[in-house]
């Protein structure tokens, strides 16, 4: 057994921002998972979402909530509306016209909570593509957020922003292909990235927990870690086993209904970092 295998991981309590799936539906298709003609069990979706909130609270996390707005079926995916680092809020500008109306609701929530919101000039889908690692921002591009927005975020935060190119449309947001475990490590699915971006990740994280194709298709990379507990899709079994070997504690939460919209645990969760 290695030293990492026996390490006791320390959780840090988080503040999350979410949005109840009151108006959740699959009405349009803006990623390969979405089929407007396939049924979604809205009642089950609400129950699954509530179990995620219960799991967060049971593990000591604070959960705040934005009022859901009618006519915005993807508004439940709170991660896409902003990225907050050091109390500074970098808002969103959605790629799809169908989602553009979500930003103002989140901006209003932040303003009422006493934050100023920077509105990006170029397409930027919040934590979907801008992932804070504890030291710098890993930034996805290729399908949604632009390189221009990466530059804008670097200027805004004054933290390095490292651009990574996504190449598989199933993994159209960085948070579907990679998640942060703690300040030192990440987990990701290499095939979702261009060869150069894969090499960057290998240099930055030689000890990363790599996921299989099955894990990735089960939304296993759309996980949330508090440094010890990893809230993860139950079908990402191989990944959960690897995390367990590394001393993390997988907490399975099934959001199968949201996968029909191309979203999972992380998509439903924005972190407010004061
Ligand atoms: N239907 C939404 C979209 O395609 C899903 C967003 C998922 N969110 C995420 N953070 N990956 O925009």
């Amino acid at each position: 057994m290695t030293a990492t295998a026996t390490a006791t991981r320390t959780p840090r309590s988080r503040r999350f921002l979410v949005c109840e799936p009151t108006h959740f539906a699959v009405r349009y298709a803006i990623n390969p998972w979405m089929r407007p003609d396939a049924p979604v069990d809205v009642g089950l979706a609400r129950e699954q979402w509530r179990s995620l909130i219960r799991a967060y609270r049971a593990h000591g996390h604070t959960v705040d909530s934005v009022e859901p707005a009618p006519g915005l079926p993807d508004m439940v995916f709170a991660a896409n509306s902003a990225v907050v680092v050091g109390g500074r809020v970098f808002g969103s500008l959605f790629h799809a016209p169908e989602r553009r109306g979500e930003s103002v609701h989140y901006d209003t929530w932040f303003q009422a909570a006493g934050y100023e919101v920077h509105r990006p000039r170029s397409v930027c889908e919040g934590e979907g593509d801008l992932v804070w690692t504890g030291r710098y921002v890993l930034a996805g591009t290729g399908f949604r957020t632009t390189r221009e927005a990466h530059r804008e975020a670097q200027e805004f935060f004054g933290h390095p922003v490292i651009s990574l190119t996504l190449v598989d449309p199933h993994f159209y947001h960085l948070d579907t292909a990679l998640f942060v475990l703690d300040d030192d490590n990440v987990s990701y699915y290499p095939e979702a990235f261009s060869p150069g971006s894969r090499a960057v990740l290998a240099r930055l994280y030689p000890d990363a927990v790599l996921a299989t194709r099955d894990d990735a298709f089960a939304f296993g990379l759309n996980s949330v870690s508090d440094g010890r507990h990893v809230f993860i899709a139950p079908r990402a079994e191989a990944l959960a086993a690897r995390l367990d070997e590394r001393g993390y504690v997988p907490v399975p939460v099934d959001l199968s209904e949201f996968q029909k919209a191309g979203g999972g645990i992380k998509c439903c969760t924005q972190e407010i970092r004061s």
Side-chain angles (χ1 to χ4, degrees):
M1 245 195 277
T2 64
T4 40
T6 54
T8 301
R9 307 280 176 188
T10 313
R12 187 160 49 75
S13 66
R14 312 290 168 127
R15 183 178 179 200
F16 295 133
L17 183 62
V18 299
C19 177
E20 204 170 336
T22 313
H23 309 289
F24 174 65
V26 177
R27 292 231 190 81
Y28 45 79
I30 55 171
N31 68 53
W33 305 88
M34 299 177 87
R35 304 182 147 276
D37 51 340
V40 172
D41 185 336
V42 177
L44 178 59
R46 286 186 201 165
E47 198 33 60
Q48 291 179 333
W49 184 86
R50 284 190 207 113
S51 66
L52 175 65
I53 306 309
R54 277 196 299 272
Y56 285 150
R57 292 198 166 125
H59 288 84
H61 305 299
T62 303
V63 182
D64 281 306
S65 162
V66 173
E67 194 63 36
L72 296 170
D74 273 336
M75 198 177 159
V76 62
F77 299 119
N80 301 145
S81 284
V83 53
V84 185
V85 178
R88 286 172 61 76
V89 184
F90 192 79
S92 55
L93 175 58
F94 283 87
H95 177 74
E98 293 91 335
R99 295 199 66 188
R100 293 237 163 116
E102 296 176 32
S103 304
V104 66
H105 297 283
Y106 285 87
D107 292 358
T108 304
W109 185 91
F110 277 110
Q111 284 153 353
Y115 295 86
E116 263 178 56
V117 178
H118 173 90
R119 297 202 176 85
R121 282 182 289 276
S122 188
V123 166
C124 186
E125 299 197 352
E127 288 195 319
D129 278 318
L130 299 182
V131 175
W132 175 246
T133 64
R135 291 171 205 186
Y136 41 76
V137 176
L138 294 176
T141 190
F143 299 100
R144 303 283 181 93
T145 300
T146 62
R147 302 275 296 205
E148 191 44 46
H150 295 180
R151 281 189 281 273
E152 203 180 330
Q154 175 164 284
E155 210 49 44
F156 177 75
F157 288 120
H159 286 294
V161 172
I162 299 169
S163 292
L164 300 169
T165 302
L166 297 162
V167 295
D168 181 334
H170 288 98
F171 308 107
Y172 55 93
H173 274 146
L174 181 58
D175 76 357
T176 62
L178 176 147
F179 72 97
V180 173
L181 284 162
D182 49 40
D183 286 349
D184 299 314
N185 212 358
V186 302
S187 175
Y188 66 97
Y189 173 52
E191 285 72 18
F193 297 90
S194 69
S197 298
R198 235 181 272 179
V200 168
L201 287 170
R203 280 179 207 278
L204 291 174
Y205 298 103
D207 205 26
V209 181
L210 300 184
T212 63
R213 185 184 149 82
D214 285 348
D215 293 324
F217 274 88
F219 273 79
L221 281 318
N222 198 245
S223 294
V224 169
S225 170
D226 64 16
R228 173 175 173 80
H229 311 102
V230 179
F231 303 89
I232 185 168
R235 277 178 284 276
E237 286 170 7
L239 181 56
R242 281 182 204 179
L243 292 168
D244 178 71
E245 279 163 23
R246 301 283 203 103
Y248 298 96
V249 180
V251 178
V253 179
D254 191 7
L255 292 192
S256 60
E257 291 309 294
F258 297 94
Q259 291 181 18
K260 297 174 180 174
I265 293 171
K266 174 59 207 172
C267 301
C268 291
T269 313
Q270 194 193 123
E271 184 173 344
I272 302 175
R273 302 173 191 84
S274 49

